Amino acid sequence: MNDDRRAFLAHAGKLLVLTGAAALGWDHLAAGSPETAPNYRDTDHWWGMIIDIEKCIGCGNCVRACKKENAVPLEPGCFRTWVERYQVDPRDYEHPIVDSPDGAYAGFPELADPEAKVKVFFVPKLCNHCAHSPCVQVCPVGATFDSPDGVVLVDKTYCLGCRYCVQACPYGCRFIDPRTETVDKCTLCYHRITKGLTTACCETCPTGARQLGDLKDKKDPIHQFLREHHVLVLKPQMATGSKVYYNGLDGSVR
């Protein structure tokens, strides 16, 4: 949080009469550390995400929003989230054509042959915030860790840039920030969700293909979605306890 924003919140707090949870959390919000507010108890939450493949149109809004919100470098290969386009020929199901130009930052070009009889769909990807994260297990200094609310985070002040976690992640969701030579990845916009907001990628998705969910909240719509849809996770054989659930995930996705 910048100084102007913090000063504004501090001044506004003097002019407002707040009650309940709002009053408890105001000082922490003004200080730029809402996750420490007594009305946000991290142990009360367990965050995950649902992605509906049938709704994704490959527009790239999520990629652009993520980079802007989290100051992700524009260099090639630096993505906290990206989108892949699959072209599956029913005669060669095991060898789909997959492209993701610049992570779909600018969307996708037209197909070379729009009349081709292939199945085409888009697959957004991000850190799976696994309950049994290989990246956490291999970090030699504890820079990668699990938060009590189920988010896998990185403390860059401890990160050595050794790349062990990059190699351990079975989903290819980590990269080395060229500015700091430390690892970077999706944080589920932790600075937003601890304020009661959703992630930047979910907020900007025009079709609602991505939805953040609190798996500890019995009233969260994520539970109804999981009950009513046949959801899958990426690479289930890895037994990582992935908390990103896909509806309509084709068997050719890798």
Side-chain angles (χ1 to χ4, degrees), residues 5-139:
R5 173 71 170 169
R6 186 177 292 109
F8 168 77
L9 290 172
H11 178 65
K14 298 175 183 177
L15 304 178
L16 294 174
V17 177
L18 301 174
T19 60
L24 288 173
W26 186 265
D27 290 341
H28 297 265
L29 176 59
S33 55
E35 68 278 4
T36 65
N39 59 320
Y40 181 82
R41 295 179 57 187
D42 47 18
T43 54
D44 288 345
H45 308 278
W46 191 249
W47 299 106
M49 185 176 288
I50 52 177
I51 296 179
D52 196 338
I53 299 295
E54 297 172 357
K55 290 184 177 180
C56 182
I57 58 176
C59 64
N61 273 14
C62 55
V63 183
R64 294 187 293 274
C66 175
K67 280 187 176 273
K68 184 175 182 180
E69 177 71 27
N70 298 290
V72 178
L74 295 176
E75 283 86 343
C78 297
F79 300 100
R80 290 189 174 193
T81 188
W82 71 99
V83 183
E84 298 173 353
R85 177 171 62 182
Y86 278 70
Q87 300 177 59
V88 182
D89 188 330
R91 298 165 298 181
D92 189 13
Y93 191 79
E94 295 185 356
H95 300 91
I97 298 174
V98 185
D99 66 329
S100 182
D102 197 23
Y105 182 82
F108 290 85
E110 293 291 331
L111 294 173
D113 182 7
E115 302 300 323
K117 295 181 179 180
V118 296
K119 179 180 180 181
V120 181
F121 55 91
F122 302 96
V123 182
K125 292 187 175 181
L126 67 156
C127 172
N128 287 251
H129 295 280
C130 307
H132 312 293
S133 306
C135 55
V136 173
Q137 298 173 36
V138 301
C139 181

Side-chain angles (χ1 to χ4, degrees), residues 179-232:
R179 301 165 300 187
T180 61
E181 284 299 311
T182 55
V183 77
D184 199 279
K185 59 175 287 296
C186 164
T187 63
L188 279 185
C189 287
Y190 199 70
H191 61 291
R192 292 173 58 91
I193 64 177
T194 52
K195 297 176 185 177
L197 304 173
T198 190
T199 63
C201 60
C202 290
E203 185 176 81
T204 57
C205 180
T207 63
R210 309 169 72 127
Q211 296 291 333
L212 179 72
D214 184 353
L215 294 165
K216 274 192 176 181
D217 182 356
K218 295 181 180 180
K219 297 180 180 180
D220 194 296
I222 192 173
H223 295 290
Q224 181 178 356
F225 188 92
L226 294 175
R227 285 195 304 267
E228 296 179 354
H229 296 80
H230 180 58
V231 298
L232 299 169

Side-chain angles (χ1 to χ4, degrees), residues 135-174:
C135 55
V136 173
Q137 298 173 36
V138 301
C139 181
V141 294
T144 291
F145 63 98
D146 297 311
S147 69
D149 43 5
V151 182
V152 179
L153 298 172
V154 178
D155 187 337
K156 292 195 173 188
T157 61
Y158 287 95
C159 179
L160 304 173
C162 66
R163 295 167 171 77
Y164 285 177
C165 62
V166 177
Q167 298 176 50
C169 176
Y171 309 104
C173 297
R174 290 171 168 252

